[in-house]
Amino acid sequence: MTKRPTFKFDKELFKRSVEYNVRSMYRKDMEDATAQMIFQASAHALRDQIIDCWMNTQKAFEEQEPKQLVYLSMEFLMGRAFGNDAINLQAYQPIADALSELGFDINAIEDEEPDAALGNGGLGRLAACFLDSLATLRYPAYGCGIRYHYGMFKQKIEHGQQVEVPDNWLKHGNPLEIRRPEYTEEVHFGGYVTSYQVDGGRTMFRQEGYQCVNAVPYDMPVIGYGNGFVDTLRIWDAEPVEEFRLDSFDKGDYEKAVEDTNLAKLITEVLYPCDDHYQGKELRLKQQYFFVSASIQQAVNKYLTGNKDLMKLPEKYVFQMNDTHPTLTIPELMRILMDEHAMQWDEAWHVTTSCCAYTNHTIMAEALEKWPIELFSKLLPRIYQIVEEINRRFLLDVHAKYDNAGVNVQDKIRSMAIIFNGQVRMANLAIVASFSVNGVAALHTKILEEEVLKDFYDLYPQKFSNKTNGITQRRFLLHANPLLAEWVTAHVGEDWITDLSKISDLKLYADDPKAQKEFAQIRFRNKQRLAAYIREHNGIEVDPHSIFDVQVKRLHEYKRQLLNIMHVMYLYNCLKADPNFKMNKRTFIFGAKAAAGYVNAKLTIKLINSVADVINNDDSINGMIKVVFIEDYRVSNAEIIFAASDVSEQISTASKEASGTSNMKLMLNGALTIGTMDGANVEIAEEVGRENMFIFGLSSAEVLKYENNGGYDPYEIFNNDQNVRQVLMQLVNGTYSADNPELFRPLYDSLLKSSPQNPADRYFILKDFESYAAAQREVDKAYSDQKKWMKMSILNTACSGKFSSDRTIQEYVRDIWHLKQVSFPEDIPAKKSGTRAVPAK
Ligand code: 26Q
């Protein structure tokens, strides 16, 4: 049996290795090396030290042949690897010492690493947190995704407006990946389907005349915490099957070769930077099929090296689909089983539906993926045939169940058919062919079951479950907030690092004046660190004594950054109107990227920056309010922001935010939530108690009721609430856009005008405004009592145990994946490697 991979960091070896790498990679002495060179050399040195653990872990998989998870996701928002790997190897301090002995500061070296921004936001970061937990819990897992050459765009703010700059993250090479050309798979696009007969008269199908692309995998290590266990993130890059030959005289060949080369260059070029909004772009479908086909072919091939009976594939593999983006897993697996391994439909269906599971991340109708049949069938002719057959058989089942049952079958078909109105509906395909469908927070799952997917829930109640999201405390506390991490360890021991439920022992200290004082000091130092970041990046002075009020997330109307900034405008009006207006000093901090084509989102960024310009430069308010828009919000600066936040803005229109995860990261770091009863906020309230947060606004039931009745009339509020009216008028009278008073008219219109597609104020901003303002007054009041605030803050950290992705992963394992922890002979019953036991179901 493979020996337990143990990792022991060798500082002297590391130092020598860095020096050697600098020489061999750059032909430079240490004195002449740039910080980037030192980073590259250090990352290579680290990689050399973990390679044995990685190989041993993989060897253990080969020997023990455990069931493996393949987590399929178009996005893995990993952020930086170096510091996090150092943390998980429990070697951060020795590495910092080694670098310091070589004359470098580890923070500066970490800053040389570009974020691996292969994701948009929550969904991609969730995938990254899951990998961290899977490795820490010693589960055999592969993340499978795409090696985009350009990740999430970099955001520059020019004249208050977002400008997108390409993210060339591979410019200096990626030291923590390994190219594995020996595991290349071919992926086929287009062409046509032909049939042929085999012995016994059975008709078989195959795709011909297709375009061909090689999928070449790159592996990145995913290091478990303190256990020498290393899982793999496998991202696929596209390459032409054969570089075209310039000497080819056959014009047809030449053109085809050029086409294949161009296709390969395009597929993995760039991440689609839209979030929660579906666009029927052909290239996106190509990306989806590309990585799914490569991943599933690989899994089946690997399975067949040790096994013969494909009927037992579900005993060894589970394919978890992160949203509908990888739904082609279903017809692709059917195709491989039937066309390449001669399985019959029913058997292939049984295998496929026993392997595939689907996670839903949204109820927003505009985010549901639908592909026009034309486009789909042309690009994936054989896959389309299979989807058609799945649909045909499914509709037969629907008829069998509902004909003569006093139910309108046509209604059922309208909502559940996989192919409808000339479109392939990916969520419906995913639900019909998966053995498991889950939402990402209790409320979200309930809305899926009772409203959005009700017909499916009626049909397959046993498939549905909730798996409330989580985050990894290793990146978002241990690495992001070393001061607080150390303090927590001093009070409750270090077990929280792998078992966050242990952090609840901090409750004992919530009332303790000494603990409160220390906690306050740590928070203050983190706020100084963020203030320095803001000074450097924004040129704005902010007072670390002020309340740091933070909303960082993608920009979307349903997340209601507009509500936040309109409330800032209102507070500013109060200060201007009444010299005696009392409030605590507050710094409103925003960070958000908007999809490039999302007009209102981009305009909201402009508004925030315009409001910042006016308010920050108005001496008459004595700096009582500052507004800061942090450019290029991403994982690496998020870590600094979370550690320094007092107030966490989680103010989505109730029912719209499936879960949210920044709410959890901020809570863990001691921020108090102001929020609606939406997504995981509901569960945060259950854990910490409503009295330790600031809840406001319509409930999801109320929102859904208004929506079913065509909306509400915002004019009632406009006409009766003078505060709201004043703020609205300031959107169109040049207060914040003197040289173009009409600039913000579209935002104004979105709040007051209804159109055939959209009711006025469809996200209930005006409706919730008064309640939000009242909750903000409570925030202000609470902050005035610093003892009480620190108590609440400690309690938030103490009650965040549920929101570890370790807990989430244990639930997936228990209810859906049924994986076993990989063990090694000399494993002692792991003390530190478990999480809170999840009660058996
Ligand atoms: C789809 C089709 C074409 C192009 C892009 C897309 C696309 C890309 C990304 C659609 C959706 C996304 C991302 C969605 C997302 O991040 N959802 C968030 O998932 C989090 C993790 O579950 C939740 O916490 C958030 O509430 C949810 O908004």
Side-chain angles (χ1 to χ4, degrees):
M1 231 185 186
T2 308
K3 283 186 65 160
R4 174 177 178 71
T6 46
F7 177 78
K8 205 157 168 354
F9 181 70
D10 183 334
K11 192 174 94 181
E12 289 312 313
L13 175 65
F14 178 82
K15 278 166 64 182
R16 264 181 283 132
S17 170
V18 172
E19 282 172 334
Y20 175 82
N21 290 346
V22 166
R23 293 173 81 83
S24 74
M25 291 168 70
Y26 302 107
R27 218 209 66 176
K28 286 233 191 273
D29 290 322
M30 290 297 280
E31 303 82 68
D32 302 326
T34 62
Q36 173 63 213
M37 290 171 184
I38 300 295
F39 160 68
Q40 292 281 342
S42 305
H44 276 99
L46 192 63
R47 183 176 112 175
D48 290 345
Q49 292 209 22
I50 60 173
I51 204 77
D52 288 342
C53 287
W54 198 1
M55 288 176 73
N56 278 340
T57 306
Q58 300 304 310
K59 218 180 274 162
F61 292 0
E62 276 158 33
E63 283 171 10
Q64 300 178 25
E65 292 187 5
K67 182 174 182 185
Q68 294 185 31
L69 165 69
V70 177
Y71 194 84
L72 294 150
S73 179
M74 290 281 274
E75 306 192 3
F76 288 91
L77 190 43
M78 302 297 282
R80 291 175 177 158
F82 182 71
N84 196 70
D85 288 354
I87 285 274
N88 280 8
L89 293 165
Q90 295 180 303
Y92 191 85
Q93 197 48 51
I95 289 177
D97 294 345
L99 287 169
S100 144
E101 287 161 27
L102 293 169
F104 298 93
D105 167 30
I106 189 168
N107 289 312
I109 298 305
E110 283 185 60
D111 278 342
E112 288 296 316
E113 182 178 0
D115 280 39
L118 308 183
N120 274 286
L123 167 145
R125 183 55 229 177
L126 185 75
C129 284
F130 279 5
L131 294 182
D132 183 85
S133 290
L134 283 158
T136 296
L137 293 165
R138 288 191 274 116
Y139 287 117
Y142 272 89
C144 284
I146 296 176
R147 186 172 181 270
Y148 301 107
H149 298 187
Y150 293 86
M152 186 62 207
F153 63 78
K154 298 213 133 311
Q155 180 191 54
K156 290 250 175 291
I157 300 296
E158 286 175 11
H159 311 295
Q161 246 138 6
Q162 167 177 298
V163 176
E164 302 90 23
V165 179
D167 163 45
N168 191 359
W169 72 294
L170 293 168
K171 188 168 54 188
H172 301 288
N174 178 2
L176 289 161
E177 70 183 5
I178 300 186
R179 181 180 146 93
R180 314 295 300 277
E182 65 275 31
Y183 298 115
T184 297
E185 301 284 353
E186 262 189 30
V187 180
H188 299 167
F189 294 99
Y192 46 90
V193 180
T194 58
S195 63
Y196 60 102
Q197 309 283 314
V198 289
D199 297 347
R202 179 174 166 200
T203 306
M204 303 278 290
F205 298 91
R206 68 177 160 229
Q207 187 181 359
E208 286 179 7
Y210 46 77
Q211 273 189 283
C212 198
V213 175
N214 272 344
V216 181
Y218 287 69
D219 287 351
M220 292 169 65
V222 179
I223 298 171
Y225 182 83
N227 61 4
F229 190 91
V230 185
D231 274 323
T232 303
L233 169 60
R234 172 158 284 188
I235 47 180
W236 296 94
D237 206 340
E239 294 182 10
V241 172
E242 244 186 318
E243 287 286 350
F244 58 88
R245 292 181 42 185
L246 287 165
D247 64 351
S248 169
F249 284 95
D250 182 333
K251 191 159 172 288
D253 260 14
Y254 179 78
E255 272 179 5
K256 189 177 165 305
V258 174
E259 267 174 30
D260 285 7
T261 304
N262 288 344
L263 174 65
K265 288 215 173 100
L266 225 77
I267 287 185
T268 50
E269 192 60 4
V270 59
L271 166 81
Y272 273 91
C274 38
D275 170 90
D276 277 0
H277 193 86
Y278 154 79
Q279 286 175 305
K281 290 274 195 298
E282 183 178 13
L283 182 58
R284 169 93 181 171
L285 190 62
K286 282 182 184 159
Q287 291 183 334
Q288 295 186 346
Y289 185 64
F290 169 76
F291 96 100
V292 158
S293 175
S295 306
I296 302 301
Q297 290 186 61
Q298 187 110 103
V300 172
N301 290 342
K302 210 158 129 203
Y303 174 84
L304 287 172
T305 58
N307 306 269
K308 291 212 165 54
D309 185 1
L310 276 169
M311 285 304 287
K312 292 192 175 155
L313 185 71
E315 291 175 17
K316 297 291 179 190
Y317 280 98
V318 53
F319 302 122
Q320 185 70 40
M321 303 184 290
N322 199 19
D323 214 297
T324 54
H325 318 156
T327 302
L328 292 170
T329 298
I330 292 156
E332 176 65 1
L333 182 54
M334 291 293 287
R335 182 191 70 77
I336 294 170
L337 296 174
M338 295 189 303
D339 296 1
E340 295 182 7
H341 299 283
M343 232 187 224
Q344 303 282 352
W345 181 277
D346 287 336
E347 290 168 351
W349 183 246
H350 175 77
V351 171
T352 301
T353 53
S354 307
C355 283
C356 295
Y358 158 61
T359 303
N360 175 292
H361 296 265
T362 184
I363 66 156
M364 306 270 291
E366 60 264 46
L368 292 180
E369 284 192 288
K370 302 181 281 262
W371 294 102
I373 290 177
E374 257 245 313
L375 186 161
F376 192 112
S377 61
K378 217 167 131 201
L379 185 69
L380 306 168
R382 177 60 183 141
I383 294 298
Y384 179 70
Q385 275 189 341
I386 292 169
V387 172
E388 242 186 359
E389 181 63 11
I390 294 173
N391 183 52
R392 191 186 68 82
R393 290 175 183 242
F394 171 63
L395 293 186
L396 287 178
D397 290 350
V398 172
H399 276 291
K401 176 150 173 117
Y402 293 115
D403 282 344
N404 315 316
V407 173
N408 185 335
V409 185
Q410 287 315 314
D411 283 350
K412 296 280 178 189
I413 290 177
R414 197 170 307 119
S415 78
M416 292 194 292
I418 296 165
I419 301 176
F420 195 78
N421 256 348
Q423 293 179 314
V424 182
R425 302 194 290 196
M426 302 304 261
N428 295 18
L429 176 57
I431 297 165
V432 170
S434 294
F435 69 88
S436 157
V437 176
N438 75 280
V440 291
L443 175 68
H444 170 60
T445 302
K446 185 173 133 76
I447 294 172
L448 290 179
E449 291 175 353
E450 293 176 4
E451 318 265 340
V452 185
L453 302 177
K454 183 175 184 314
D455 284 337
F456 282 114
Y457 183 61
D458 287 346
L459 201 56
Y460 312 117
Q462 75 290 351
K463 287 190 186 186
F464 284 72
S465 74
N466 174 246
K467 298 288 167 281
T468 298
N469 283 168
I471 57 162
T472 169
Q473 67 270 29
R474 287 158 301 267
R475 183 179 289 265
F476 291 108
L477 183 52
L478 189 54
H479 184 259
N481 194 345
L483 296 176
L484 185 58
E486 201 183 325
W487 185 85
V488 171
T489 297
H491 287 78
V492 306
E494 62 179 1
D495 286 1
W496 64 270
I497 298 170
T498 49
D499 177 359
L500 195 60
S501 70
K502 292 279 168 31
I503 207 166
S504 68
D505 290 351
L506 279 182
K507 283 182 202 165
L508 292 173
Y509 298 93
D511 268 319
D512 179 322
K514 179 165 167 281
Q516 288 180 356
K517 202 167 147 216
E518 291 166 358
F519 202 78
Q521 275 165 353
I522 288 168
R523 301 190 56 71
F524 187 71
R525 284 178 61 189
N526 288 332
K527 286 164 76 173
Q528 286 176 314
R529 178 172 73 155
L530 179 57
Y533 180 94
I534 290 170
R535 188 179 309 122
E536 185 187 336
H537 290 85
N538 295 66
I540 301 174
E541 265 320 307
V542 302
D543 180 356
H545 293 282
S546 66
I547 303 177
F548 278 17
D549 179 310
V550 172
Q551 186 172 20
V552 284
K553 49 182 81 248
R554 283 302 289 255
L555 214 139
H556 202 296
E557 285 162 290
Y558 83 76
K559 296 179 192 279
R560 300 201 293 192
Q561 283 93 350
L562 185 55
L563 173 60
N564 187 343
I565 196 66
M566 284 173 65
H567 174 258
V568 174
M569 291 160 68
Y570 156 73
L571 280 183
Y572 179 58
N573 291 340
C574 294
L575 284 168
K576 296 291 277 184
D578 174 5
N580 294 319
F581 183 78
K582 284 274 166 294
M583 63 176 275
N584 289 291
K585 241 185 178 182
R586 220 193 276 209
T587 304
F588 292 93
I589 298 169
F590 294 82
K593 290 181 184 176
Y598 193 167
V599 177
N600 277 0
K602 289 184 121 177
L603 201 52
T604 305
I605 291 179
K606 172 69 179 164
L607 176 63
I608 294 167
N609 282 302
S610 301
V611 171
D613 269 351
V614 171
I615 296 184
N616 296 346
N617 295 309
D618 182 344
D619 293 337
S620 77
I621 61 160
N622 293 321
M624 290 305 286
I625 302 179
K626 286 278 164 83
V627 179
V628 177
F629 188 94
I630 293 187
E631 193 176 70
D632 202 34
Y633 174 61
R634 61 190 184 281
V635 176
S636 53
N637 60 17
E639 294 182 30
I640 299 169
I641 298 167
F642 293 140
S645 303
D646 296 307
V647 177
S648 161
E649 299 268 353
Q650 306 299 337
I651 59 178
S652 54
T653 308
S655 80
K656 298 295 176 269
E657 188 72 271
S659 162
T661 42
S662 72
N663 46 3
M664 302 170 185
K665 294 161 196 165
L666 284 155
M667 177 198 195
L668 174 65
N669 281 279
L672 273 51
T673 304
I674 179 165
T676 48
M677 278 302 217
D678 197 18
N681 299 351
V682 176
E683 289 157 84
I684 289 179
E686 269 168 28
E687 296 298 305
V688 73
R690 284 179 80 117
E691 69 282 11
N692 293 307
M693 13 183 347
F694 306 92
I695 305 274
F696 73 95
L698 295 174
S699 69
S700 66
E702 286 167 329
V703 168
L704 295 172
K705 198 164 154 205
Y706 277 119
E707 285 179 343
N708 288 333
N709 294 313
Y712 81 103
D713 179 14
Y715 267 97
E716 225 168 275
I717 297 171
F718 182 73
N719 290 331
N720 293 311
D721 184 330
Q722 290 315 305
N723 296 328
V724 170
R725 188 187 182 93
Q726 184 183 12
V727 168
L728 276 162
M729 293 320 294
Q730 289 170 336
L731 286 177
V732 289
N733 68 9
T735 305
Y736 296 101
S737 53
D739 43 0
N740 179 8
E742 288 297 303
L743 183 64
F744 299 116
R745 172 79 61 183
L747 297 178
Y748 174 93
D749 284 348
S750 77
L751 295 171
L752 289 172
K753 289 219 164 103
S754 60
S755 68
Q757 298 87 29
N758 280 332
D761 191 13
R762 65 177 281 216
Y763 295 108
F764 302 90
I765 289 176
L766 304 192
K767 191 88 189 152
D768 274 349
F769 190 92
E770 182 43 43
S771 159
Y772 179 56
Q776 287 287 22
R777 281 189 286 275
E778 292 301 314
V779 169
D780 183 75
K781 210 165 96 194
Y783 196 80
S784 301
D785 181 348
Q786 274 294 294
K787 272 198 167 143
K788 183 168 163 220
W789 186 277
M790 285 308 150
K791 175 181 177 179
M792 291 165 80
S793 179
I794 294 174
L795 283 175
N796 268 271
T797 299
C799 295
S800 63
K802 174 174 178 184
F803 303 107
S804 169
S805 46
D806 299 340
R807 186 268 314 151
T808 312
I809 288 298
Q810 294 285 43
E811 290 182 0
Y812 275 93
V813 167
R814 180 194 65 194
D815 299 341
I816 303 173
W817 300 337
H818 307 294
L819 308 172
K820 293 215 165 49
Q821 286 179 314
V822 170
S823 54
F824 300 94
E826 58 271 53
D827 264 352
I828 12 156
K831 186 173 147 266
K832 277 193 283 175
S833 56
T835 59
R836 171 167 63 176
V838 183
K841 234 193 170 175

